[in-house]
Amino acid sequence: MTEAANPGAHSRRRSRPRIDLRRLGRAALMGPAVRDRLPDAIGHVVDAHRAHHPDADLATLHRAYVLAESSHRGQFRKSGEPYITHPLAVTLILAELGAETTTLTASLLHDTVEDTEVTLDQVRTGFGTEVAYLVDGVTKLEKVDYGAAAEPETFRKMLVAAGNDVRVMSIKLADRLHNMRTLGVMRPEKQARIAKVTRDVLIPLAERLGVQALKTELEDLVFAILHPREYERTRALIAEHSGACTALDTMARRFRTVLREAGIPAEVLLRPRHFVSVHRVCLKRAEPRSTDFGRLLVLVGEDADCYAVLGELHTCFTPVVSEFKDFIAAPKFNLYQSLHTAVAGPDGAVAEVLIRTHRMHTVAEAGVVALGNPYAPTEGAEPADGERADPTRPGWLSRLLEWQQSTPDPDHFWTSLRADLAHNREITVFRADGRSLGLPAGATCVDAAYAQYGERAHATVGARVNGRLAAMGTPLRDGDTVQVLLAQDTGSGPSPDWLDHARTPAARIAIGGWLDAHPEPSGAPPAAPRRPAQRTAERPAAANAVVDLPDATVRLAGCCTPVPPDRVTGFPVRGGAVTVHRRECPAVARMTRAGRSPVAVRWGDAADCRVTLVAESFGRPGLLADLTEAIAAEGAAIVSATVEPPTEQRVRHTYTLHLPDARGLTALMRAMRDVPGVYDVSRIQHRGAPAVPRPPSD
């Protein structure tokens, strides 16, 4: 399909004449002129369908049209046209996109159950369960039964149905497109209301399903209704630059020459930008370039040819490196594949270029419509582990179906749906076991936890991103590896702060539900920050460190806590004492730069030592007791201990320990790391940046 710089124009094959749906509607009321022959009114649908499916069985389409025409006979649209023109137009839209016969059959019948005396059982009896399911999926719920909740509940019903057959959405999108094309007969306020729903729900759905041909036209129609002034300015700008494609035509001819000489069979087409696309370019640049009103599309036969074309264009023209994107090696979540680049010609004109195969182009324009039913089981094949093979990878749809079950309130569902669809990009992150998670762009560790564990994520105490501990509010990037850490105490709950970090409705709904079920005691004063718990004991002398200064008092530095067999050095300080540091301690470098003279230090025969360890952990009941028990089990004595107030459920413990044998330090640290909730234990390296002691005065 070709993007049209006309919001009311529907993309058509060049060889097919424009279709007058009003004339077809009047002709439809008269029925077929010849028995057993398809009426002229559906002939255009048949032509479009055969262009994509030459061997299609048209008997079912014939019967569906006859039922639709007879059941809608006598009904008229607000424009005065016979009502049958609407299902015909919707079916033609889908036929042009390459939909298969079952989808077209359901499209012809999509309003019969809703607006006529035809029942769903009659559709099922005449056309089968599959067609009946599609018709039921797009049938609106009655306002008499649902009142103001009819619209959100209708969309909920449609989305749930699409979870089993995504073709339901295809029909709904084509239905909305034709309604938007003919919206001019409605009152302005009703036009605006329908346009807003289209903008917030239908256009994001079209984007996620990859149906760019429908999405771009819907965008332009909504643009014209909701932003008439900007639309008129854009329309005038396009008219003013109607001859601007000359530069692109010149570039296209150069491309054809280059590719022909390189022996690469390719088709080079000029694609005018649609209205919204031009408007976005104008927002980026104060003055649009002559080449900003269109792009060049290069179509080839094989994937490898795409890269061959890219190489030739980048060799013969000047590439704009910042504009290059490879959506073939890394397709978008809606199946879109293409190479994007921009090159400058000899005259300095810059042209944006799309390079793709013919198959990629079909999928880029028609999305899931061109794929038929992605959930249809392959004959003779059983899905593995009960999972359906899904070529559209709609992880977003799976997430939507999960969280909508937790939102019985229609208003809450409607608000959450719009918020979810507002995230129009998706990222893929990997779990610790190597499996992938699809998340909306901007998702955080909170969203990853609930996407992986559901309500079990209430017990999350932290996460590692690419092997490093990360706060729960850390935004994730495409390709990150996320390890969610759960507490053993399954009774623990999420922090209220997580609501600020959650980007997915599933996470927000689950966290909000838990907080509502576990309210804070009324009238309770806010908890004051806990003071560090501390216990101290007198520090014994470091008898196992020996220096070559008579009568010198030896002290082990608290900044690096040296223990045997560390390589150490010493520096004299006031009072005739020598402070012993590990050689890699930052204080050693500072004192050396200050001109201080080191003294030799060696370890004596005494095996005992003192060391300061820092344990980083997640907060949980009984953690301090478990840590002190592990320390005691290794024969170490606690000289002092400090527990800092928790931050984002993380707690820092600092222990100064006396070990009877320095060789047991490694085992002690391992035992502390094995305590549930502890994720790291290290020796203290440096406390701040203390001033370098002055040398003793004479």
Side-chain angles (χ1 to χ4, degrees), residues 297-359:
L297 171 65
V298 182
L299 297 178
V300 295
E302 303 292 338
D303 290 12
D305 293 336
C306 294
Y307 294 97
V309 169
L310 181 71
E312 289 297 326
L313 296 184
H314 280 193
T315 300
C316 300
F317 301 90
T318 303
V320 181
V321 179
S322 60
E323 296 293 328
F324 174 68
K325 298 181 181 67
D326 187 347
F327 294 117
I328 295 180
K332 291 185 178 181
F333 69 96
N334 59 4
L335 288 185
Y336 178 85
Q337 287 185 288
S338 187
L339 294 178
H340 289 203
T341 189
V343 296
D347 55 358
V350 177
E352 293 186 34
V353 187
L354 309 176
I355 308 169
R356 57 179 74 141
T357 66
H358 291 280
R359 174 60 178 167

Side-chain angles (χ1 to χ4, degrees), residues 185-200:
V185 298
M186 300 286 187
R187 300 187 310 274
E189 58 272 19
K190 188 167 185 179
Q191 289 185 38
R193 184 186 67 79
I194 294 174
K196 287 177 181 177
V197 173
T198 303
R199 176 196 64 193
D200 295 343

Side-chain angles (χ1 to χ4, degrees), residues 9-48:
H10 177 246
S11 300
R12 296 178 299 277
R13 294 178 177 269
R14 293 180 180 177
S15 60
R16 199 167 296 134
R18 184 176 180 84
I19 298 166
D20 187 346
L21 290 172
R22 292 190 182 186
R23 181 184 61 79
L24 295 181
R26 288 192 292 271
L29 297 177
M30 302 173 61
V34 181
R35 195 170 193 172
D36 296 329
R37 176 183 167 188
L38 288 175
D40 291 339
I42 198 176
H44 296 279
V45 172
V46 170
D47 290 343

Side-chain angles (χ1 to χ4, degrees), residues 575-611:
V578 174
T579 303
V580 178
H581 295 264
R582 293 160 65 186
R583 289 189 181 178
E584 61 269 24
C585 177
V588 172
R590 288 199 304 273
M591 286 189 280
T592 300
R593 287 194 301 268
R596 301 291 300 277
S597 299
V599 297
V601 181
R602 66 180 184 277
W603 295 111
D605 296 333
D608 63 331
C609 67
R610 182 174 299 180
V611 65

Side-chain angles (χ1 to χ4, degrees), residues 130 164 167 372-379 388-389:
E130 201 172 351
N164 290 319
R167 291 174 296 179
N373 179 13
Y375 302 131
T378 304
E379 187 174 352
R388 298 177 303 194

Side-chain angles (χ1 to χ4, degrees), residues 547-572:
V547 298
D548 294 332
L549 289 177
D551 301 325
T553 302
V554 179
R555 298 174 184 171
L556 299 181
C559 56
C560 57
T561 59
V563 298
D566 292 339
R567 296 189 309 152
V568 291
T569 187
F571 290 90

